[in-house]
Amino acid sequence: MKQPKAIQIRRVSQIVFLLIFLVLFLQTKDPLRIAFPPDFLLRIDPLAGLITSLASRTIITAFWPAIIVLALAFLLGKSLCGWVCPLGTSLDIWNRIMPAGRRRGDRRWKYAILFGIMLLSLLSVQAAWLFDPLVIFTRTLSLSLYPLSVWGINSLLNAGLDIGFLEGIALWFWDLLQGWFLPLNQLQTALLFTTLVVFAAILLLDRFGRRTWCRVLCPLGALLGLIGHISPFGRLIKGECTECTLCEANCRMDAIDKDDFTKTRRSECILCMECSQACTEEATSFRWGKQEGGQDSLDITRRKALGVMGTSILFAGVWQTQLKNRSADGYLIRPPGAVEEDKFLDLCLRCEQCVKACSSTGGCLQPSGTEYGWSGFWTPRARMREGYCEYSCTLCGQVCPSGAIQPLTEEEKHKTVIGIAYIDRVRCIPWATGEDCIVCEEHCPTPEKAIKFKTAEDGSPTKLPYVDAELCIGCGICENKCPVAGPSAILVMKKTADSLF
């Protein structure tokens, strides 16, 4: 059957927007050279903007494009879900590979989830990162799909270098990809498997039915559905409906009323228009017009509402208990420009844009696991032994959409202290063995070296390194470059932490 032109246009729109998001993602290493910010995908997200603003009690102006998305929802309903959303596009591509099941879940769950995370945000707990589809997609790109792609391409190129007649081709591709796709430094990404499992689980949900995530769980879709409920554009029947059920059977969002196939729940319809393709009588069309009846209600019972409220309060209580003494942990170092810890957790979307950007320079930022409790899961922290904070790099603040990491100029970055280095004299080569080692001092980037030397009290000629706390900014290059095997002999800790050595 020939596809309607609108369906072809929609599929082109999905691919075009997916490519745009991928290009912006790859540009996180150089955000000032492109017209759109690399975090534009998240800035158009009304759910992320609403929840982080409520949780932090501030209006985040960076999310102003999300207002346009909300305005379009009044006109075109949930078209973002069917025409733009990269996670929805991924699900549609996955359905081409693995046919979906035909079960239908309770679509009201997504409204309960939306209500729950909004209530949590009022309790100063930002939980959008758990369910927001645009955040999930960006995080999956940063921590899983991009590293796996890099490692796969590197493996192919290395294999090509070992085959004589392919060596020239491999070198040509290496030069072509180096810098803009292949990072300058080796990726050291934690939580790759965990992030990939979450993404795979969302795809595998379609074994229960097409776009199960979108129909049943997605709170962004629920938010747009609340507005799209009154949209003046949608599915209308222009001829005689024979009630053949083909339109309802082909509706991926369960938006067509089972009792009256002429009626559509516009709060659920994503304007995929496949019902018009399925209609053998050509009675289905999409146009401007009011539909009498057929609109759905949220139908959330009092029991469900109280259950969501109780669960949210319990979750908030557990969350707050995990925040105690967090600021006292000397090893938890946030990116330069990060706001105060409690507010940081309210603002941080766990999108990992900063982690991706950092991989193009020093590579010190990695996502946290459960070492600081679930409240800090997927938040960025510095791991200096794996990578240092490059002295003049300001990328992390430039790609953060929520303001959890404030943008810094290069001059401000040079003066921003994220920690202080401490020397473990038990492991440090000069202090422990009396042999000279000046690696940490050589790599220190501050104009006046923050690592200095003094002579031993016994008159030994060995240079003993020490840290000038007034000059150290905690960039971590000394910890990263320390030649001692295993844990470094010089560790960067928070400025407020007591010295352990």
Side-chain angles (χ1 to χ4, degrees), residues 4-226:
K5 185 176 181 180
I7 293 181
Q8 299 177 23
I9 295 175
R10 175 182 60 80
R11 289 175 177 170
V12 170
S13 171
Q14 287 182 292
I15 297 301
V16 167
F17 277 104
L18 179 62
L19 291 176
I20 289 174
F21 295 143
L22 292 176
V23 169
L24 291 176
F25 171 80
L26 291 174
Q27 289 300 313
T28 51
K29 69 179 183 59
D30 199 1
L32 297 181
R33 291 191 180 184
I34 55 177
F36 289 97
D39 56 351
F40 183 73
L41 169 61
L42 297 171
R43 293 193 185 189
I44 67 172
D45 187 344
L47 179 65
L50 174 64
I51 297 303
T52 52
S53 295
L54 289 176
S56 62
R57 310 295 192 269
T58 57
I59 297 177
I60 305 173
T61 57
F63 285 107
W64 70 263
I67 299 175
I68 300 176
V69 173
L70 292 177
L72 288 174
F74 278 106
L75 297 175
L76 299 173
K78 294 173 62 175
S79 56
L80 176 84
C81 304
W83 292 64
V84 176
C85 178
L87 186 56
T89 301
S90 300
L91 290 170
D92 289 343
I93 295 173
W94 174 251
N95 287 159
R96 295 274 181 173
I97 302 172
M98 186 69 65
R102 293 189 176 276
R103 297 181 187 178
R104 303 292 175 89
D106 190 344
R107 62 180 178 275
R108 293 172 296 182
W109 275 111
K110 61 178 174 287
Y111 295 102
I113 292 172
L114 174 62
F115 175 58
I117 62 177
M118 289 183 66
L119 179 58
L120 283 171
S121 67
L122 295 176
L123 298 173
S124 194
V125 177
Q126 195 273 96
W129 55 275
L130 284 170
F131 292 99
D132 191 300
L134 301 186
V135 173
I136 292 172
F137 182 78
T138 305
R139 182 168 60 231
T140 303
L141 277 181
S142 298
L143 298 187
S144 297
L145 300 184
Y146 175 67
L148 289 174
S149 298
V150 168
W151 292 336
I153 291 175
N154 275 331
S155 298
L156 288 175
L157 293 177
N158 288 328
L161 292 175
D162 294 333
I163 303 174
F165 68 95
L166 292 178
E167 183 177 1
I169 298 176
L171 288 173
W172 184 83
F173 274 106
W174 200 294
D175 292 336
L176 178 65
L177 298 176
Q178 189 71 37
W180 71 272
F181 186 86
L182 298 178
L184 300 177
N185 298 279
Q186 182 179 359
L187 292 174
Q188 297 287 341
T189 303
L191 299 183
L192 184 151
F193 180 73
T194 301
T195 307
L196 189 62
V197 165
V198 172
F199 183 68
I202 293 175
L203 297 180
L204 292 175
L205 281 175
D206 276 22
R207 296 301 298 161
F208 297 100
R210 296 179 69 183
R211 284 207 178 200
T212 296
W213 164 266
C214 307
R215 284 188 294 105
V216 180
L217 299 174
C218 180
L220 176 56
L223 177 62
L224 296 176
L226 292 175

Side-chain angles (χ1 to χ4, degrees), residues 241-468:
C241 176
T242 62
E243 298 188 356
C244 66
T245 74
L246 288 176
C247 58
E248 192 273 338
N250 282 274
C251 181
R252 68 185 68 187
M253 294 299 292
D254 195 20
I256 298 176
D257 195 316
K258 295 181 180 179
D259 298 323
D260 185 352
F261 299 132
T262 67
K263 305 302 181 182
T264 309
R265 303 179 186 91
R266 292 189 177 179
S267 60
E268 300 296 328
C269 180
I270 61 173
L271 304 183
C272 70
M273 302 185 180
E274 292 191 1
C275 54
S276 63
Q277 178 186 356
C279 184
T280 57
E281 301 298 323
E282 298 184 354
T284 301
S285 65
F286 286 81
R287 61 184 190 271
W288 301 97
K290 183 179 180 181
Q291 178 181 235
E292 296 295 336
Q295 299 287 6
D296 60 322
S297 62
L298 298 184
D299 193 25
I300 297 180
T301 64
R302 181 180 299 179
R303 173 183 288 184
K304 284 187 177 181
L306 292 176
V308 170
M309 185 178 298
T311 302
S312 299
I313 293 174
L314 178 62
F315 185 89
V318 173
W319 182 281
Q320 293 298 331
T321 58
Q322 291 192 352
L323 299 183
K324 293 181 180 180
N325 300 322
R326 177 187 296 275
S327 59
D329 192 309
Y331 292 103
L332 177 57
I333 299 177
R334 297 300 187 189
V339 298
E340 179 269 330
E341 180 66 16
D342 287 348
K343 190 173 183 180
F344 180 85
L345 293 176
D346 291 339
L347 290 173
C348 180
L349 288 171
R350 283 75 163 172
C351 65
E352 314 303 335
Q353 287 271 64
C354 55
V355 173
K356 163 61 175 65
C358 192
S359 69
S360 63
T361 56
C364 77
L365 293 184
Q366 297 292 320
S368 298
T370 58
E371 61 266 32
Y372 299 107
W374 288 104
S375 59
F377 200 76
W378 270 318
T379 56
R381 59 161 297 192
R383 297 179 184 271
M384 304 302 188
R385 193 57 166 161
E386 298 180 14
Y388 59 92
C389 183
E390 208 280 327
Y391 185 57
S392 297
C393 177
T394 60
L395 290 177
C396 56
Q398 294 173 24
V399 301
C400 179
S402 65
I405 306 173
Q406 295 293 310
L408 300 173
T409 64
E410 189 172 322
E411 182 179 357
E412 290 171 334
K413 170 64 185 301
H414 292 168
K415 299 177 182 178
T416 300
V417 179
I418 60 174
I420 298 293
Y422 295 93
I423 295 177
D424 182 352
R425 298 183 181 182
V426 175
R427 296 182 57 79
C428 179
I429 294 174
W431 284 97
T433 68
E435 300 177 13
D436 278 327
C437 177
I438 61 173
V439 171
C440 55
E441 189 271 346
E442 282 183 325
H443 285 91
C444 182
T446 57
E448 295 183 52
K449 296 287 188 179
I451 299 177
K452 303 182 183 299
F453 296 104
K454 62 182 179 180
T455 57
E457 294 180 358
D458 60 3
S460 170
T462 304
K463 297 179 180 179
L464 301 177
Y466 70 95
V467 178
D468 187 335

